[in-house]
Amino acid sequence: MIDILKSLLLSFIAVAVLLPVLRYALRRLSPAGQKASISADESRYMQKKEWQLTIAYFVFASVLSVFFAGALAMLASILHLSSEHMFVLTPNFKAFFAPGLLLGLTTALLPLRLSQSTLLSQDLDLYRQYLIQQEGIRSTRIYRILFAFMLGISVVVLWFAMRWHVNVDENQVQLTNMLNQERTYPHSAIESIHYLSEEGGYLITFEDQTILNTSYLKPVPLDMIALLSDRSGKRVIR
């Protein structure tokens, strides 16, 4: 939970830092033109309203990030479900939180856009004038392009993240990474099994120094660890 809160906090700080930079870049690329600017008092008022929109965006992003991380973990379990293997391990909520956060930060713009009229009420027209002054007349088009670009990146990241899974059979362990590259190890290739003092958390090291951290996988039954320990002849190190 602490790691998740840290990730959310860091992402929101990044957004808060990058937003003024993006706004300045938009203003340089898309000047406001001949439209009359709003007054200084109106600008300060709109800045307060913008903080409300920013907080609303962070709320939407947090909810969507958690939702996507959970949904992706469930979907990965369904996609890699197989009766041909003794144990099938797929990424858990913690492993999917980073791509879920990326998707959440991107798609949070949609509910924010839909709720603008409710959040701003009668100030909506004034806010649009404020955006033209701050970001230029073509900023909406550029935002749409950036949204499509970020959505495309999110889909690509999710596509690769969904491929990661581990199959454990009676005589071997098969690791499939995010690039869909498969490595198969006999149990005798296990060098060590370290318990990480957390439920389901083990570091399994193989002869070629490949390390499997089961903290990011689900589920990790004790029967599987007992099988690996017995077949490899390695005791679980605590």
Side-chain angles (χ1 to χ4, degrees):
M1 178 60 72
I2 295 178
D3 291 338
I4 291 173
L5 293 176
K6 286 181 179 179
S7 298
L8 285 172
L9 181 60
L10 289 174
S11 64
F12 296 156
I13 291 175
V15 170
V17 171
L18 291 176
L19 185 59
V21 178
L22 176 61
R23 173 163 289 176
Y24 175 77
L26 289 173
R27 185 66 183 86
R28 299 287 291 180
L29 293 171
S30 179
Q34 302 299 321
K35 190 154 186 169
S37 61
I38 63 177
S39 66
D41 290 338
E42 289 174 331
S43 181
R44 284 192 292 270
Y45 176 70
M46 282 296 100
Q47 288 174 2
K48 295 179 181 178
K49 287 291 184 179
E50 199 166 53
W51 273 110
Q52 296 179 8
L53 292 175
T54 303
I55 293 173
Y57 168 77
F58 286 163
V59 172
F60 291 140
S62 298
V63 173
L64 289 174
S65 298
V66 172
F67 169 77
F68 284 129
L72 291 170
M74 184 180 300
L75 181 60
S77 298
I78 296 173
L79 289 178
H80 298 295
L81 183 65
S82 174
S83 59
E84 298 178 358
H85 306 284
M86 294 182 64
F87 303 98
V88 179
L89 308 180
T90 56
N92 57 19
F93 177 89
K94 183 164 59 173
F96 272 118
F97 186 74
L101 177 60
L102 177 61
L103 187 58
L105 289 171
T106 303
T107 57
L109 294 172
L110 296 177
L112 180 66
R113 178 74 174 177
L114 294 174
S115 62
Q116 270 190 359
S117 58
T118 301
L119 295 172
L120 295 174
S121 187
Q122 70 272 14
D123 297 321
L124 183 58
D125 291 336
L126 181 61
Y127 181 68
R128 288 171 178 167
Q129 296 178 27
Y130 170 75
L131 287 183
I132 291 176
Q133 177 177 302
Q134 294 295 317
E135 301 173 355
I137 56 178
R138 295 190 297 271
S139 60
T140 301
R141 182 184 305 174
I142 296 176
Y143 272 128
R144 288 174 181 170
I145 295 174
L146 288 174
F147 174 78
F149 176 72
M150 290 301 300
L151 189 61
I153 291 178
S154 300
V155 171
V156 171
V157 170
L158 294 177
W159 171 260
F160 283 104
M162 293 293 291
R163 298 183 174 201
W164 184 32
H165 65 283
V166 179
N167 297 325
V168 179
D169 294 312
E170 187 175 356
N171 298 312
Q172 65 183 21
V173 178
Q174 184 183 60
L175 309 180
T176 303
N177 63 18
M178 291 185 291
L179 298 177
N180 210 30
Q181 297 173 336
E182 294 183 359
R183 293 183 179 181
T184 302
Y185 301 93
H187 293 315
S188 58
I190 296 176
E191 276 197 346
S192 63
I193 304 173
H194 286 79
Y195 178 58
L196 298 178
S197 300
E198 61 180 72
E199 184 178 358
Y202 297 87
L203 280 181
I204 302 174
T205 305
F206 297 91
E207 287 180 347
D208 62 355
Q209 300 307 307
T210 297
I211 298 176
L212 173 62
N213 188 346
T214 64
S215 298
Y216 295 95
L217 296 170
K218 62 159 191 164
V220 183
L222 291 176
D223 291 349
M224 188 198 82
I225 299 300
L227 173 67
L228 296 179
S229 177
D230 179 66
R231 293 304 177 93
S232 65
K234 301 295 191 300
R235 295 183 58 184
V236 178
I237 303 173
R238 298 180 177 270

